[in-house]
Amino acid sequence: MRRLGIVAALVFLLDQASKVFVVFHMGLALDQRIDVWPPYLTFRMAWNQGVNFGLFAHDADLARWLLIGVSLAISAGVAIWMARGRHRPAALVSAGLLIGGALGNALDRVLYGAVADFLNMSCCGIDNPYAFNVADVAIFAGALGLVLYTGKDKTP
């Protein structure tokens, strides 16, 4: 469980530090776009009030508090699940990634009313209109890791 906590804390801190640095220190909140390595990496400001790709953003205040509650409930559920069983180190790291990312995005919703998304990657003639953040990457990687590294045949 210590591994889970360390990974969750590191992801949370990296996510929040990257958002503060890029959005506020580099001025992305005002500039709306910073070309870092076009077209492969561009910072594009997006305040996401919904879930992935802005889904369910129509009633922003209700969605905000529901999504904060869901993030906290999932984080608690995953932590309890990991605490109750024997799991591989990779499963604990995956759980830490998911929890750290979920808490990072939940804090954004508390502080700003929306999640600060800014990473935009495009390649090979495909212009990706969507932005994401470090927490989103961690949530995706953590969920995938939990699928791959947990189950009856995957306990130590």
Side-chain angles (χ1 to χ4, degrees), residues 7-46:
V7 171
L10 289 174
V11 166
F12 178 83
L13 291 172
L14 178 62
D15 174 64
Q16 290 299 303
S18 69
K19 289 171 183 172
V20 168
F21 183 75
V22 172
V23 175
F24 301 109
H25 180 69
M26 290 181 68
L28 186 63
L30 297 174
D31 295 338
Q32 296 295 299
R33 179 185 174 119
I34 299 172
D35 290 332
V36 178
W37 185 29
Y40 306 108
L41 178 61
T42 303
F43 294 159
R44 289 186 189 172
M45 190 68 240

Side-chain angles (χ1 to χ4, degrees), residues 2-3 29 40 50 63 79 88 116:
R2 181 174 178 207
R3 181 169 295 167
Y40 306 108
R88 298 175 168 195

